[in-house]
Amino acid sequence: MSQVTSQHSSTYENRARMLISCPDRPGIVATVSQFLHDHGANIVQSDQYTMNPEGGMFFIRFEFDLNDLEKELPVLVEDFHRVADRFEMKWSTFRASRKKRLAIFVSKEDHCLNELLWQWKSGDLDADITMVISNHPDMKEQVESFGIPYYHVPVTADTKAEAERKHLELVSGKADLIVLARYMQIIPPKFIEEFPNRIINIHHSFLPAFIGGSPYAQAYKRGVKIIGATAHYVTEELDAGPIIEQDVQRVTHRDNIDNLKRIGRTIEKVVLARAVKWHLEDRILVHQNKTVVFN
Amino acid sequence: MSQVTSQHSSTYENRARMLISCPDRPGIVATVSQFLHDHGANIVQSDQYTMNPEGGMFFIRFEFDLNDLEKELPVLVEDFHRVADRFEMKWSTFRASRKKRLAIFVSKEDHCLNELLWQWKSGDLDADITMVISNHPDMKEQVESFGIPYYHVPVTADTKAEAERKHLELVSGKADLIVLARYMQIIPPKFIEEFPNRIINIHHSFLPAFIGGSPYAQAYKRGVKIIGATAHYVTEELDAGPIIEQDVQRVTHRDNIDNLKRIGRTIEKVVLARAVKWHLEDRILVHQNKTVVFN
Amino acid sequence: MSQVTSQHSSTYENRARMLISCPDRPGIVATVSQFLHDHGANIVQSDQYTMNPEGGMFFIRFEFDLNDLEKELPVLVEDFHRVADRFEMKWSTFRASRKKRLAIFVSKEDHCLNELLWQWKSGDLDADITMVISNHPDMKEQVESFGIPYYHVPVTADTKAEAERKHLELVSGKADLIVLARYMQIIPPKFIEEFPNRIINIHHSFLPAFIGGSPYAQAYKRGVKIIGATAHYVTEELDAGPIIEQDVQRVTHRDNIDNLKRIGRTIEKVVLARAVKWHLEDRILVHQNKTVVFN
Amino acid sequence: MSQVTSQHSSTYENRARMLISCPDRPGIVATVSQFLHDHGANIVQSDQYTMNPEGGMFFIRFEFDLNDLEKELPVLVEDFHRVADRFEMKWSTFRASRKKRLAIFVSKEDHCLNELLWQWKSGDLDADITMVISNHPDMKEQVESFGIPYYHVPVTADTKAEAERKHLELVSGKADLIVLARYMQIIPPKFIEEFPNRIINIHHSFLPAFIGGSPYAQAYKRGVKIIGATAHYVTEELDAGPIIEQDVQRVTHRDNIDNLKRIGRTIEKVVLARAVKWHLEDRILVHQNKTVVFN
């Protein structure tokens, strides 16, 4: 099977996105939309959120079309600095047609990886999957059949430091987003620093319940009636980064730990794929330890 | 118990909302937000939706604060006509502090009525409930204990025409929104014309499944595994008006028709209360037979 | 408004229920169902659950009709001791027509109380509500309008011991089940001992997330995308008793703490009412710190 | 990749299941459980449902362990005829370790097929997938990589009759269950007769809403706020067979038809996989046009 190209991107060749966070102040929307209009941009979607009209933070996302994007976007970006400085904005622009590069980390459970691969193959995830990295060799054949390179990097107490070097070397210049698709190793601070708010993990519980290991065993022991999964950006504190998406499913006393795991697999893969999709479409802003998701 | 005043409104005394629908065209957001800014309005929330960037419809909702709203809003409205004409807009403005007047119609089942009364008493529904009209006398005492007038207008084959006259007379000048809280009579076209997209009905099924009478009996017969309820604006075609909100709950083969009704009551009241709340907060635009809900 | 009698009970005048827990062993179902059959009982519902076929616990619930129940049930119960001893059973029988007496504790928030009262008035909760006890006087009129006694028992640092005595005195011989419908005081161990697995509390979070005070503020701070509520039996350890039921609803970054509270109120009242209903219908068995719910 | 064997079956080598439907009458449970006990069977799970205690139908499912099952089950079955005749039972027994043979039909959309294959490979679907039949050649390589035969049987107006013959020939003696995993052709009556209540279809709407073609386009046009999918047994009347499972997801005005399809794919595959799993575990009884699902 050869590498599959999503059909999405081409239809968006003149589409760009802009994400802005700044202290709220009168006139932001007017100024930015006038600015975009003056530069020939046609806003096709905008979403805005103010934490608190007086003195809070302001978040906005624009999706716009601009003729001759490749040439005109740099001009627009250059000119926008004046606006941004005036309002103390943190901001980014993205070209919708420029696919983000995705590196997926996985251990032995393949359901999240498979869902990402399948959605990507169907054109639902608008990305280039540049590699899959695993501490196990098991999924090599499966991944390579999609035309995607597979790197087996064993992680043991002895090889930990070397593995970390290897990881950084592999993704360097080849990944805009790291997805931990049930990768069961701790990510070292140095790696996290390289990808601030660009590493998405799926935790197999409804955080902040059941932080840490064996969440289904913890859930079974506590006798919860609903289980869940949480996709979040990875920060140094374990399972404590900004939550992007969560979902849940009802369980009963009949469900033993194996059942919880089985039911959980479906929740995990669906939640992770949604979070990745939103990141790829530049729908997520992070403020302090929370996310604003314009979906 | 005396009439309860919501604490919401006062905090919003300078808050206004604007709803706009128009054919999509470059520059709408820029123009309107610049216009609002020039008139001293501070946009605290905006939501926008384009059906299709090329040649589709465009919908936008602004929520903004304006100093000395009572005096300044009429000026702003007057000036906006030029903008509106230029873009062929259908538009409305609303003052958040001016409570909408609500008339509730009910028959014998009181769960939806009770939920509305309770949410209103808690300050969650920012409205003046000006009256409850029923074809039965049963809930008179209950409703009057909230300080709300209760009108018993019997509806029989003979008194139908008179009841319709009476209904119109009662609500005339006293209702901005009509809520059919399980009112089991057909609303005549003349009444509907008086309140276009301002009559909300709760249908006790997941529309368009089980249109018409006895939806729970229909659902039981069909053996569905999930039941639902639908809040929609009333149009002349039965149960076919624009859907505002729906919700569902899982059922099993063990649930007989009585159980479906019991489970359904909770769904109905929650769905209806959400739809009413959104209408009161000017979050709903209707286009053709569908709603855009900015919630 | 006079006290309302549910119409359920009368139709079940010959209906009894039996709950059994015991170590699993071959022949339990055969023995008990043969026993019931031999005593003239017609089983109309049975639910069974084995934690683990080899050496685990076994739980069964029978619902059966027995002619001349009042006279025959004591005979059946007397005879059952031999069966129970043989299988080391913990067991109870209940007459469906004998309504359980309910005492509701409430503080200032009335949504859970109202839901219980409304469901009881509609005949959905098959109980006698014998009293409402509150540390505030606010809901006296409201509760008494249902014909239910309301006891205002203030709880302060000084009056704590006295309040506890008063509570025990009030419910003594008048309550089979205690429902804490957003009662914001700690229940002392002595009271809990009097009602083992017969005090149901509603905690306004998806336990075990956000134990303790201000769960919505905690949820807001953590930035969760789903909030929930948990009904559980009260044990000495705060918010750690056996979970009976949980439910959740999706929220977004737009929802501030007030919104979370408002959305949560609907979840809380629905979850609590379900748990109470199941207890009243003898559908819940507790084993260690978990529940088996045959619903 | 070679064919994968589920690890489930071996642990169940002495496990059997019995499904019974009959008119309700006192003593059924007692008689059957005594019968099973007398034959050395240890009941590990039982579920029972009575439509109506007086004169309704009675449904029961037993799961039991029996030493030397291969030899003893035929004896038990032989002896059970007397019990069955006495109570006018429709009944079946199944050996848990004897995997059902599955034939999957698919057209061009592969999400449901992939989910089934993935769950099967993970050991979650305890079946032998004996073949995939498609009216398109597209998924041949994909399916064969799992070690499963793939038959491309084109269906055109001209070849219809021949295709039907071919289908029957292919599955004859090789399938206990047919799964239509988004197979977009009408199944002829003759084929349905061969597999009564043994053909599971996934319909991409929340039935009975949006029967027939293009349900997502219909849903978009109607402006529903929730979409769903329905797994049902196939009968001669289109989309009208007994419903096994349904699930739904919330959508908004922003979701165009493509989005509905994309969101729907996840619902479809999850719902279909659940229905297939329950059928494989003998958890479904059909009565008239409804299912009793003991899950």
Side-chain angles (χ1 to χ4, degrees):
Chain A
M1 201 180 304
S2 66
Q3 189 158 341
V4 177
T5 309
S6 160
Q7 293 148 338
H8 272 66
S9 307
S10 61
T11 64
Y12 291 146
E13 65 178 64
N14 284 322
R15 177 72 51 93
R17 302 173 192 132
M18 184 177 238
L19 293 180
I20 302 171
S21 324
C22 63
D24 197 12
R25 204 185 301 175
I28 302 174
V29 182
T31 306
V32 180
S33 34
Q34 192 60 53
F35 173 91
L36 290 173
H37 185 54
D38 292 346
H39 282 73
N42 183 28
I43 299 168
V44 293
Q45 200 177 336
S46 83
D47 291 282
Q48 157 186 349
Y49 166 61
T50 313
M51 290 192 89
N52 180 341
E54 302 178 35
M57 284 296 289
F58 175 89
F59 305 90
I60 196 160
R61 176 185 188 269
F62 288 102
E63 192 155 338
F64 56 88
D65 286 336
L66 184 63
N67 280 335
D68 201 0
L69 187 75
E70 186 148 6
K71 201 181 124 205
E72 295 301 329
L73 190 61
V75 178
L76 185 150
V77 164
E78 180 59 31
D79 291 356
F80 193 71
H81 280 96
R82 258 171 315 141
V83 175
D85 287 352
R86 186 171 137 214
F87 288 96
E88 301 171 77
M89 290 170 171
K90 287 176 58 181
W91 62 290
S92 335
T93 50
F94 303 91
R95 291 177 49 182
S97 63
R98 192 169 287 172
K99 292 186 191 189
K100 289 187 176 53
R101 295 158 304 172
L102 209 67
I104 303 176
F105 282 59
V106 69
S107 288
K108 282 201 149 172
E109 297 229 47
D110 64 354
H111 53 289
C112 288
L113 173 67
N114 280 344
E115 182 73 14
L116 294 173
L117 292 177
W118 175 78
Q119 290 209 9
W120 169 76
K121 203 190 128 214
S122 317
D124 288 342
L125 288 186
D126 199 21
D128 280 331
I129 302 184
T130 51
M131 70 192 73
V132 172
I133 296 175
S134 178
N135 53 333
H136 295 283
D138 311 40
M139 291 169 232
K140 185 177 172 59
E141 195 184 347
Q142 187 176 346
V143 167
E144 290 182 346
S145 77
F146 284 86
I148 299 168
Y150 185 90
Y151 300 105
H152 172 213
V153 182
V155 180
T156 65
D158 285 352
T159 63
K160 205 156 196 174
E162 196 197 318
E164 290 174 20
R165 261 196 311 278
K166 183 73 180 163
H167 286 162
L168 275 173
E169 189 189 308
L170 282 169
V171 300
S172 173
K174 291 193 179 158
D176 303 299
L177 176 66
I178 308 292
V179 177
L180 309 181
R182 297 297 306 271
Y183 182 67
M184 308 312 281
Q185 299 288 328
I186 300 289
I187 303 298
K190 201 176 159 193
F191 194 95
I192 297 173
E193 273 164 37
E194 290 288 315
F195 293 92
N197 294 329
R198 291 194 288 136
I199 307 174
I200 297 179
N201 181 47
I202 181 74
H203 184 72
H204 38 316
S205 85
F206 185 83
L207 287 176
F210 312 129
I211 286 172
S214 304
Y216 292 122
Q218 291 186 57
Y220 180 75
K221 187 154 182 290
R222 182 62 187 93
V224 293
K225 299 300 185 185
I226 288 177
I227 58 167
T230 305
H232 64 94
Y233 287 118
V234 173
T235 57
E236 287 204 26
E237 193 181 339
L238 184 67
D239 299 334
I243 292 171
I244 303 169
E245 171 65 339
Q246 304 188 289
D247 213 336
V248 296
Q249 195 174 321
R250 192 166 277 280
V251 296
T252 79
H253 58 265
R254 292 192 193 281
D255 294 304
N256 57 21
I257 296 181
D258 280 346
N259 272 1
L260 298 188
K261 285 181 183 171
R262 184 178 52 75
I263 294 168
R265 282 196 286 266
T266 296
I267 316 174
E268 292 163 28
K269 69 185 186 184
V270 168
V271 165
L272 178 61
R274 274 191 220 138
V276 169
K277 185 175 174 63
W278 294 340
H279 184 101
L280 294 175
E281 296 175 0
D282 308 305
R283 299 185 174 281
I284 313 174
L285 293 108
V286 176
H287 179 63
Q288 291 168 350
N289 203 44
K290 296 168 70 171
T291 61
V292 170
V293 180
F294 290 125
N295 64 321
Chain B
M1 198 181 306
S2 66
Q3 189 159 342
V4 177
T5 310
S6 160
Q7 294 148 338
H8 272 66
S9 307
S10 61
T11 63
Y12 290 146
E13 65 178 65
N14 284 322
R15 178 71 52 92
R17 301 174 192 131
M18 185 178 237
L19 294 181
I20 302 170
S21 324
C22 63
D24 197 12
R25 205 185 301 175
I28 302 174
V29 182
T31 306
V32 180
S33 35
Q34 192 60 51
F35 172 91
L36 289 173
H37 185 55
D38 292 347
H39 282 72
N42 184 27
I43 300 168
V44 292
Q45 200 176 337
S46 84
D47 291 282
Q48 157 186 348
Y49 166 61
T50 312
M51 289 191 92
N52 180 342
E54 302 179 33
M57 284 295 290
F58 176 89
F59 306 90
I60 196 160
R61 175 185 188 270
F62 287 102
E63 193 156 336
F64 57 87
D65 287 335
L66 185 62
N67 281 335
D68 201 359
L69 186 74
E70 186 148 6
K71 201 179 124 204
E72 295 301 330
L73 189 62
V75 178
L76 184 151
V77 164
E78 180 58 31
D79 291 357
F80 194 70
H81 279 96
R82 257 171 315 143
V83 176
D85 288 352
R86 187 172 136 213
F87 287 98
E88 301 171 76
M89 290 171 170
K90 287 175 60 180
W91 62 290
S92 335
T93 49
F94 303 90
R95 290 177 49 182
S97 63
R98 193 169 287 172
K99 290 184 190 191
K100 289 188 175 54
R101 293 159 306 172
L102 210 65
I104 303 176
F105 282 60
V106 71
S107 288
K108 282 201 147 171
E109 297 229 47
D110 65 353
H111 53 288
C112 288
L113 173 66
N114 280 344
E115 182 73 15
L116 294 173
L117 292 177
W118 175 78
Q119 290 209 8
W120 169 76
K121 202 188 130 216
S122 319
D124 287 342
L125 288 187
D126 198 19
D128 281 329
I129 301 184
T130 52
M131 72 192 72
V132 172
I133 295 175
S134 179
N135 54 333
H136 294 284
D138 312 40
M139 291 170 231
K140 186 176 170 61
E141 195 184 345
Q142 187 176 348
V143 168
E144 290 182 346
S145 76
F146 284 86
I148 299 169
Y150 184 91
Y151 301 105
H152 173 212
V153 183
V155 181
T156 64
D158 285 351
T159 64
K160 206 157 196 174
E162 197 196 317
E164 290 174 19
R165 260 195 311 278
K166 184 72 180 162
H167 286 162
L168 275 173
E169 190 189 309
L170 282 169
V171 300
S172 174
K174 291 192 179 158
D176 302 299
L177 177 65
I178 308 291
V179 177
L180 308 181
R182 294 299 305 270
Y183 182 67
M184 309 311 282
Q185 300 288 328
I186 301 289
I187 303 298
K190 201 175 158 194
F191 194 96
I192 297 173
E193 274 164 35
E194 290 289 315
F195 294 92
N197 294 330
R198 290 193 289 136
I199 307 174
I200 297 179
N201 181 47
I202 181 73
H203 184 72
H204 38 314
S205 85
F206 185 82
L207 287 175
F210 312 130
I211 286 172
S214 304
Y216 292 122
Q218 291 185 56
Y220 180 75
K221 185 153 184 290
R222 182 63 186 92
V224 292
K225 299 300 185 186
I226 288 177
I227 58 168
T230 305
H232 64 95
Y233 287 118
V234 173
T235 56
E236 287 204 26
E237 194 181 339
L238 185 67
D239 299 334
I243 292 171
I244 303 167
E245 171 65 339
Q246 305 188 288
D247 213 337
V248 296
Q249 195 175 320
R250 193 165 277 280
V251 295
T252 79
H253 59 265
R254 293 193 192 279
D255 294 303
N256 58 20
I257 296 181
D258 281 346
N259 272 2
L260 298 189
K261 285 180 183 170
R262 183 177 54 74
I263 294 168
R265 282 196 286 268
T266 297
I267 317 174
E268 292 162 29
K269 69 186 188 184
V270 168
V271 166
L272 179 61
R274 272 191 221 139
V276 170
K277 186 177 173 60
W278 294 339
H279 184 101
L280 294 175
E281 296 175 359
D282 308 305
R283 299 185 176 281
I284 313 175
L285 293 109
V286 176
H287 179 64
Q288 291 167 352
N289 202 45
K290 295 168 70 171
T291 62
V292 169
V293 181
F294 290 126
N295 64 323
Chain C
M1 200 180 304
S2 66
Q3 188 159 341
V4 177
T5 310
S6 161
Q7 293 148 339
H8 271 66
S9 307
S10 62
T11 63
Y12 290 146
E13 65 178 64
N14 284 323
R15 177 72 53 94
R17 301 175 191 129
M18 185 176 235
L19 293 181
I20 301 170
S21 324
C22 63
D24 197 13
R25 203 185 301 174
I28 302 174
V29 182
T31 305
V32 180
S33 35
Q34 192 61 52
F35 173 90
L36 289 173
H37 185 55
D38 292 346
H39 281 73
N42 183 27
I43 299 168
V44 292
Q45 200 176 336
S46 83
D47 291 281
Q48 156 185 350
Y49 166 61
T50 312
M51 291 192 89
N52 180 341
E54 301 179 34
M57 284 296 290
F58 176 88
F59 306 90
I60 196 160
R61 177 185 187 268
F62 288 102
E63 193 155 338
F64 56 87
D65 287 336
L66 185 62
N67 281 334
D68 201 359
L69 186 75
E70 187 148 6
K71 201 179 124 206
E72 295 301 330
L73 190 60
V75 178
L76 183 151
V77 165
E78 180 59 32
D79 291 357
F80 194 70
H81 279 96
R82 258 170 315 142
V83 175
D85 288 353
R86 187 173 135 213
F87 288 97
E88 301 170 78
M89 290 171 172
K90 287 176 60 181
W91 62 290
S92 335
T93 49
F94 304 90
R95 290 177 49 182
S97 63
R98 193 169 285 173
K99 290 185 192 191
K100 288 187 176 53
R101 294 159 305 171
L102 210 66
I104 303 176
F105 282 59
V106 70
S107 289
K108 284 201 147 173
E109 297 230 47
D110 65 354
H111 53 288
C112 288
L113 173 66
N114 281 344
E115 182 74 14
L116 294 173
L117 292 177
W118 175 78
Q119 290 209 8
W120 169 75
K121 202 189 127 214
S122 319
D124 286 343
L125 288 187
D126 199 20
D128 281 328
I129 302 184
T130 51
M131 72 192 72
V132 172
I133 296 175
S134 179
N135 53 333
H136 295 284
D138 311 41
M139 291 170 231
K140 185 176 172 60
E141 196 185 345
Q142 186 176 347
V143 167
E144 290 182 346
S145 76
F146 284 87
I148 299 169
Y150 185 90
Y151 301 104
H152 173 212
V153 183
V155 181
T156 64
D158 285 352
T159 64
K160 207 158 194 173
E162 197 197 317
E164 290 175 17
R165 262 196 311 279
K166 183 74 180 163
H167 285 161
L168 274 173
E169 190 189 308
L170 283 169
V171 300
S172 174
K174 290 192 179 158
D176 303 300
L177 176 66
I178 308 291
V179 177
L180 309 181
R182 295 298 305 270
Y183 182 67
M184 308 311 282
Q185 300 287 328
I186 300 291
I187 303 299
K190 200 176 159 194
F191 195 95
I192 297 173
E193 274 164 35
E194 290 289 314
F195 294 92
N197 293 330
R198 291 193 289 137
I199 308 174
I200 297 179
N201 181 48
I202 181 72
H203 184 73
H204 39 316
S205 85
F206 185 83
L207 287 175
F210 312 129
I211 287 172
S214 304
Y216 292 121
Q218 291 185 57
Y220 180 75
K221 186 154 183 289
R222 183 62 187 92
V224 292
K225 300 299 185 185
I226 287 177
I227 58 167
T230 305
H232 63 94
Y233 287 117
V234 174
T235 57
E236 288 205 27
E237 193 181 341
L238 184 67
D239 300 333
I243 292 172
I244 304 168
E245 171 65 339
Q246 305 188 288
D247 213 337
V248 296
Q249 194 175 322
R250 192 165 277 280
V251 295
T252 79
H253 58 267
R254 293 192 192 279
D255 294 304
N256 58 20
I257 297 181
D258 280 347
N259 272 2
L260 298 189
K261 285 181 183 169
R262 183 178 53 75
I263 294 168
R265 282 196 285 268
T266 296
I267 317 174
E268 292 163 28
K269 69 185 187 185
V270 168
V271 165
L272 178 61
R274 272 190 221 138
V276 170
K277 185 176 174 60
W278 294 340
H279 184 101
L280 294 176
E281 295 175 359
D282 308 305
R283 298 186 175 282
I284 312 175
L285 293 109
V286 176
H287 180 63
Q288 290 168 351
N289 203 45
K290 296 168 70 171
T291 61
V292 169
V293 181
F294 290 126
N295 64 324
Chain D
M1 199 181 306
S2 66
Q3 189 158 341
V4 177
T5 310
S6 161
Q7 293 148 338
H8 272 66
S9 308
S10 61
T11 63
Y12 291 147
E13 66 178 65
N14 284 323
R15 177 71 51 94
R17 302 174 190 130
M18 184 176 237
L19 294 180
I20 302 171
S21 324
C22 63
D24 197 12
R25 204 185 301 176
I28 303 173
V29 182
T31 306
V32 180
S33 33
Q34 192 61 52
F35 172 90
L36 290 173
H37 186 55
D38 292 347
H39 281 74
N42 183 28
I43 300 168
V44 291
Q45 200 176 338
S46 83
D47 292 281
Q48 156 186 351
Y49 166 61
T50 312
M51 290 191 89
N52 180 341
E54 300 178 36
M57 285 295 290
F58 176 88
F59 305 90
I60 196 160
R61 175 184 188 271
F62 288 102
E63 192 155 338
F64 56 88
D65 286 336
L66 185 63
N67 281 334
D68 200 359
L69 186 74
E70 186 148 6
K71 200 180 125 205
E72 295 301 329
L73 190 61
V75 178
L76 185 151
V77 164
E78 180 59 31
D79 291 357
F80 193 70
H81 279 96
R82 257 171 316 142
V83 176
D85 289 351
R86 186 172 137 213
F87 288 96
E88 300 170 78
M89 290 170 171
K90 287 176 59 181
W91 62 290
S92 334
T93 49
F94 303 91
R95 291 177 50 182
S97 63
R98 193 169 287 172
K99 292 186 190 189
K100 290 189 175 51
R101 295 157 305 171
L102 209 66
I104 303 176
F105 282 59
V106 70
S107 289
K108 282 200 149 171
E109 297 230 48
D110 64 353
H111 53 288
C112 288
L113 173 66
N114 280 344
E115 182 73 14
L116 293 173
L117 292 176
W118 176 78
Q119 290 209 8
W120 168 76
K121 202 188 128 216
S122 317
D124 287 342
L125 289 186
D126 198 21
D128 280 330
I129 302 184
T130 51
M131 71 193 75
V132 173
I133 295 175
S134 178
N135 53 334
H136 294 284
D138 312 41
M139 290 169 232
K140 186 176 171 60
E141 195 185 346
Q142 187 176 347
V143 167
E144 291 182 346
S145 77
F146 284 86
I148 299 168
Y150 185 90
Y151 301 105
H152 173 212
V153 183
V155 181
T156 64
D158 285 352
T159 64
K160 206 158 195 173
E162 197 196 319
E164 290 174 18
R165 259 195 312 278
K166 183 74 180 163
H167 287 161
L168 275 173
E169 189 189 309
L170 282 170
V171 300
S172 172
K174 291 191 178 159
D176 302 299
L177 176 66
I178 309 291
V179 177
L180 309 181
R182 295 298 305 271
Y183 182 67
M184 308 312 282
Q185 300 287 329
I186 300 288
I187 303 299
K190 200 175 159 194
F191 194 95
I192 298 173
E193 273 163 38
E194 291 288 316
F195 294 93
N197 294 329
R198 291 194 288 136
I199 307 174
I200 297 179
N201 181 46
I202 180 74
H203 184 73
H204 38 318
S205 85
F206 185 83
L207 286 175
F210 312 129
I211 286 171
S214 304
Y216 292 121
Q218 292 185 57
Y220 180 76
K221 186 153 182 291
R222 182 63 186 92
V224 292
K225 299 300 186 185
I226 288 176
I227 58 168
T230 304
H232 63 95
Y233 286 118
V234 173
T235 56
E236 287 205 27
E237 193 181 341
L238 184 67
D239 298 334
I243 292 172
I244 303 167
E245 171 66 338
Q246 304 189 288
D247 214 336
V248 295
Q249 195 174 321
R250 193 166 277 280
V251 296
T252 78
H253 59 264
R254 291 193 194 281
D255 295 304
N256 58 21
I257 296 181
D258 280 348
N259 272 2
L260 298 188
K261 285 181 183 170
R262 183 178 53 75
I263 294 168
R265 282 197 286 267
T266 296
I267 316 174
E268 292 162 29
K269 70 186 186 184
V270 168
V271 165
L272 179 61
R274 273 192 220 138
V276 169
K277 185 176 174 62
W278 295 339
H279 184 101
L280 294 175
E281 295 175 0
D282 309 305
R283 299 186 174 281
I284 313 175
L285 292 109
V286 176
H287 179 63
Q288 290 167 352
N289 203 44
K290 296 167 69 171
T291 61
V292 169
V293 181
F294 290 125
N295 65 323

